Amino acid sequence: MIKGIPFGLVRKFKSRFMRTDPLSERVRRTLVRTLYTQPSSLIIGAFNGIVSSGVVAYSSGEFWLSVTWGILCVIAIGRILSARSFSTESEEQSTSRMEIAYELGAFSYALILGIIAAQTIIMDIGAPLEVLMIANAMCYAVGICARNAGRPVIALGQLGLVVAPVFFAALYIASLPFIFLAINIALLLPAMASITLNVFKVLRDSIGAAETSGQLAEKMRVLARTDVVTGLANRAGLNQDVVEKLMHVRDDQQIALFWMDLDRFKEVNDLLGHPVGDRVLLEVASRLKEVAPEHATVSRFGGDEFIIFCEVADRKESERLASELHAEIMRPVRIDGERLEIGASIGIALLPDDGQDADALMQNADLALYHAKVNGRRQSCFYDQTMSRDLVRRREIEAELRSAIVKNELSIFFQPIIDLDTGRIKTFEALVRWFHPEKGELKPDEFIPVAEETGVIVTLGNWITAQAAKAAAQWPEDVTIAVNLSPLQIKAPGAALGIMNALREAGLDPSRLELEVTESLFLDDHGATEHFIEELSAIGVRFALDDFGTGYSSLGYIQKYPFSKIKVDRSFVSGPNVGKKTDAIIHAVAELGSKLEMDIVAEGLETIDQVRTVREAGCTLGQGYYFSRAVPDYLAAMLLSQEEDTRIRATG
């Protein structure tokens, strides 16, 4: 029964604790490695055992004690060398090999130490030496259980191998003290086994929990850096990869950052729904991964924007890669029978030429992307330093424009639109002018695009409408006012309400206000546009289609929306390509207007011959420097006054 105690406990331990699931294997490896941690404690124990047994062998003069002491010294030295070797092993080191090596040394050392202690009892070499050796063996057995609790088989095996020879030696002598010694040893075994197993269970559960927590943390880290739609790196993942790669970049290494924006992707979501949009994004992501270099970081930066960050040989390779990216993205996508054509604009920045760090590189690639979109989309654009200067200039204009609106530094000028039959002023077009206190006059084509890019155009447009309405309220009732509207202004929340408020505050009849819109407004087919036009048309506001013939001209716009006027672009009147074809176009548009009872305005009239040509073609109204440039409100009022005096004299 006593002999079976250790082995019964070992079997019980193996059945309860030594499962072979993957987690247990990882825990097992961790626990095995603890055997080799702090080899200094093993060295101290071995040194103590060697010295104690050496003293006993020398003092007793017994030959066999000297022999076993020599064997113990060899084993102890071998264990020390093994411990130092395995304590520095790599992660690839076999767990089984580490465990077996430790077991061989540990079990052999424990057995020889127990045999030396048993020899001192049987040889009766004297109480002091017996006590020294038995105490050393028992202390080693108890201590090793605590040290090796991470591997109970080894700990309990060493315990059994140390105390078993002493136990049998005590029974062999069979004196009363030695019988009690055997009983103490028998009681020690289950007590230390219980303690060792409990310590092991705590260690195993703690390490297992740490492993699980580590796996969960790693999973959360991966999820936090991965885009859920495409499986690519998200913004956080991109930033991490960029920073890590830039930390190890060589002086002769060139890295490119490609920033892509899908053109008109919003239409896919609006027309086909977000699930289809997500599938398009997934397809684009798949194509980008196929084209991107092997070690490139491919990420979805957000929305319909993607970024590829990779090493390139030179600028020429960047151009080639950009071309391949374009070709892949622009291949038609088929989803549920729908054939979708997706374009993209790409901005490219190179390290070290365009930036020395991640922030500068991304900022400059973004600037290049902006220019690619402004220049017509579906193209690639490399960064150059002039883009940064343009950005500084735009930001400066934006800040000063906001201030100018508040300080009333802007002015409204009015250019007349003339009835070609009577020669009278039919309408004034309101045009904004900015006379900067330091920089002088800034042209509209310099600050209007900035206003549209930054959203300032909404505030500016409402201000222009309000000022124009106030001026028109002072004119004769048969003279109307025309105001140009930006698509952004129309699509802004409460756009129609802002127009209504301007009319109400100025006391102007809505029928005297004409809102000029360009064909680009209808490209997105935004529902807010139709609602805006319907709401204002219902109270009498009229609409004119401006710059007709220069954009995506469509008779569908004229049929769908209540336009009362079409303005033929100046390029058909005074442009370099004026000729028979442009005359024919003007004739066709004028005839269309006549049939639909709409006024046709010819813009850009500068000579009497141009006036005669468009009048003969059928245009009803004309506008241009031949009649008048844009003038301040007081001069506009003067023109109307002179016209009224002329009319009175003619009828008087």
Side-chain angles (χ1 to χ4, degrees):
M1 176 179 175
I2 294 176
K3 290 175 60 177
I5 288 176
F7 303 102
L9 288 173
V10 168
R11 285 196 299 271
K12 179 181 178 182
F13 162 74
K14 286 186 175 182
S15 64
R16 290 184 58 188
F17 297 103
M18 295 301 291
R19 297 191 299 271
T20 58
D21 56 272
L23 177 61
S24 295
E25 288 301 317
R26 289 193 296 270
V27 172
R28 175 171 171 258
R29 178 170 180 82
T30 302
L31 293 173
V32 168
R33 293 191 68 83
T34 63
L35 299 174
Y36 291 95
T37 57
Q38 294 184 337
S40 58
S41 63
L42 188 148
I43 295 173
I44 293 173
F47 177 78
N48 184 48
I50 291 173
V51 171
S52 298
S53 57
V55 170
V56 170
Y58 175 78
S59 300
S60 66
E62 294 287 344
F63 171 77
W64 289 110
L65 278 175
S66 299
V67 171
T68 51
W69 175 75
I71 296 173
L72 184 69
C73 290
V74 173
I75 294 173
I77 294 172
R79 291 193 71 197
I80 292 172
L81 295 177
S82 175
R84 292 179 62 86
S85 173
F86 281 105
S87 65
T88 58
E89 284 291 330
S90 64
E91 289 295 325
E92 288 74 21
Q93 176 63 52
S94 169
T95 301
S96 297
R97 180 184 172 190
M98 294 172 63
E99 190 170 19
I100 291 172
Y102 192 89
E103 286 175 346
L104 290 174
F107 289 159
S108 58
Y109 181 88
L111 179 61
I112 297 301
L113 185 64
I115 290 175
I116 293 175
Q119 284 178 318
T120 61
I121 296 174
I122 295 173
M123 293 179 179
D124 192 19
I125 59 176
L129 296 178
E130 292 178 20
V131 171
L132 172 62
M133 204 60 227
I134 293 173
N136 185 276
M138 294 300 103
C139 289
Y140 175 82
V142 172
I144 208 65
C145 284
R147 185 185 189 280
N148 295 343
R151 299 303 294 150
V153 171
I154 296 177
L156 297 179
Q158 287 180 276
L159 173 65
L161 290 172
V162 170
V163 301
V166 178
F167 175 79
F168 288 117
L171 291 180
Y172 176 78
I173 299 300
S175 65
L176 184 61
F178 283 109
I179 291 176
F180 274 97
L181 175 61
I183 294 173
N184 285 332
I185 292 174
L187 294 176
L188 175 68
L189 290 174
M192 292 307 301
S194 176
I195 293 172
T196 301
L197 292 177
N198 286 333
V199 171
F200 168 76
K201 187 176 186 301
V202 172
L203 287 173
R204 181 186 185 281
D205 292 346
S206 298
I207 296 174
E211 288 277 349
T212 302
S213 298
Q215 292 174 1
L216 181 60
E218 177 63 19
K219 184 176 181 180
M220 294 300 294
R221 187 189 69 83
V222 172
L223 289 176
R225 297 180 181 179
T226 304
D227 177 60
V228 295
V229 176
T230 63
L232 301 177
N234 59 13
R235 185 176 300 190
L238 170 70
N239 291 339
Q240 181 69 22
D241 287 350
V242 169
V243 171
E244 289 181 357
K245 288 183 179 179
L246 291 183
M247 287 176 61
H248 302 92
V249 67
R250 303 186 307 272
D251 292 338
D252 61 342
Q253 192 174 5
Q254 195 165 47
I255 294 180
L257 191 148
F258 300 82
W259 196 322
M260 285 156 282
D261 182 83
L262 302 184
D263 296 332
R264 306 195 182 286
F265 177 75
K266 184 177 182 298
E267 296 177 10
V268 176
N269 282 334
D270 292 344
L271 296 176
L272 302 178
H274 287 277
V276 174
D278 288 347
R279 291 170 65 182
V280 171
L281 293 175
L282 185 60
E283 176 63 23
V284 171
S286 176
R287 295 181 181 185
L288 293 180
K289 286 191 291 185
E290 291 179 2
V291 177
E294 182 178 357
H295 298 293
T297 297
V298 184
S299 70
R300 181 189 175 201
F301 193 71
D304 58 353
E305 295 184 7
F306 294 85
I307 287 180
I308 293 180
F309 185 78
C310 62
E311 181 180 355
V312 293
D314 49 33
R315 185 186 180 96
K316 186 175 182 180
E317 183 181 352
S318 300
E319 294 173 350
R320 178 191 59 77
L321 183 55
S323 178
E324 291 181 359
L325 292 172
H326 265 300
E328 280 297 313
I329 294 175
M330 294 178 68
R331 283 195 296 112
V333 178
R334 288 195 176 274
I335 297 179
D336 297 336
E338 293 282 350
R339 185 177 186 274
L340 305 177
E341 294 187 359
I342 306 297
S345 302
I346 304 180
I348 309 165
L350 301 176
L351 181 143
D353 298 342
D354 302 330
Q356 298 293 330
D357 55 43
D359 291 340
L361 202 62
M362 294 186 70
Q363 180 181 358
N364 293 336
D366 190 21
L367 274 175
L369 173 62
Y370 165 80
H371 280 267
K373 292 190 289 186
V374 168
N375 293 336
R377 298 179 180 271
R378 297 201 173 198
Q379 59 182 280
S380 301
C381 184
F382 280 84
Y383 169 81
D384 65 60
Q385 294 183 352
T386 60
M387 295 178 183
S388 294
R389 291 195 293 270
D390 290 343
L391 176 63
V392 172
R393 175 62 174 161
R394 289 199 304 273
R395 288 178 175 173
E396 181 180 316
I397 290 176
E398 177 190 356
E400 292 179 342
L401 181 57
R402 293 182 186 276
S403 176
I405 295 174
V406 174
K407 297 178 180 179
N408 289 321
E409 293 179 358
L410 302 176
S411 302
I412 303 297
F413 277 42
F414 301 89
Q415 186 174 28
I417 299 175
I418 307 300
D419 187 323
L420 296 179
D421 288 333
T422 65
R424 296 189 59 191
I425 297 174
K426 192 73 176 290
T427 304
F428 276 105
E429 180 179 359
L431 303 170
V432 65
R433 295 290 184 265
W434 184 5
F435 297 96
H436 194 281
E438 297 177 359
K439 301 174 183 177
E441 181 178 2
L442 297 179
K443 297 180 180 179
D445 59 4
E446 188 174 1
F447 65 86
I448 292 296
V450 175
E452 290 180 332
E453 294 164 14
T454 60
V456 181
I457 192 66
V458 176
T459 303
L460 179 60
N462 290 336
W463 180 85
I464 293 172
T465 303
Q467 298 302 313
K470 290 177 182 179
Q474 311 301 318
W475 302 336
E477 294 183 357
D478 60 339
V479 179
T480 59
I481 182 69
V483 178
N484 290 283
L485 292 185
S486 165
L488 289 178
Q489 183 183 356
I490 293 174
K491 295 172 184 177
L497 182 60
I499 301 295
M500 293 177 184
N501 288 339
L503 292 171
R504 184 177 62 254
E505 292 176 4
L508 185 69
D509 188 331
S511 63
R512 295 180 60 194
L513 176 63
E514 294 178 0
L515 298 178
E516 296 184 357
V517 298
T518 60
E519 295 160 334
S520 61
L521 171 67
F522 307 105
L523 292 180
D524 292 337
D525 195 23
H526 201 285
T529 301
E530 185 173 352
H531 180 71
F532 174 85
I533 293 177
E534 289 178 352
E535 190 172 359
L536 291 179
S537 295
I539 64 172
V541 175
R542 294 187 290 176
F543 286 85
L545 186 58
D546 196 9
D547 297 336
F548 185 79
T550 60
Y552 301 86
S553 301
S554 171
L555 297 179
Y557 303 148
I558 300 175
Q559 181 182 13
K560 182 176 181 180
Y561 298 105
F563 292 114
S564 60
K565 182 183 295 183
I566 295 177
K567 300 184 74 173
V568 180
D569 188 71
R570 66 180 63 247
S571 61
F572 293 95
V573 177
S574 57
N577 298 318
V578 171
K580 290 183 178 180
K581 290 184 179 180
T582 55
D583 289 346
I585 292 173
I586 295 174
H587 273 281
V589 175
E591 185 175 354
L592 175 66
S594 176
K595 296 292 185 182
L596 298 177
E597 298 182 350
M598 291 189 297
D599 287 324
I600 305 299
V601 183
E603 297 182 294
L605 298 176
E606 298 178 357
T607 67
I608 185 61
D609 291 336
Q610 292 172 352
V611 174
R612 291 194 186 103
T613 299
V614 298
R615 184 168 55 192
E616 291 171 0
C619 294
T620 55
L621 301 173
Q623 181 182 11
Y625 290 167
Y626 175 78
F627 301 109
S628 174
R629 294 177 178 269
V631 296
D633 55 351
Y634 69 90
L635 289 180
M638 185 180 298
L639 290 175
L640 291 173
S641 178
Q642 290 175 352
E643 187 177 86
E644 181 65 18
D645 291 343
T646 302
R647 186 184 66 82
I648 292 174
R649 286 196 297 270
T651 57

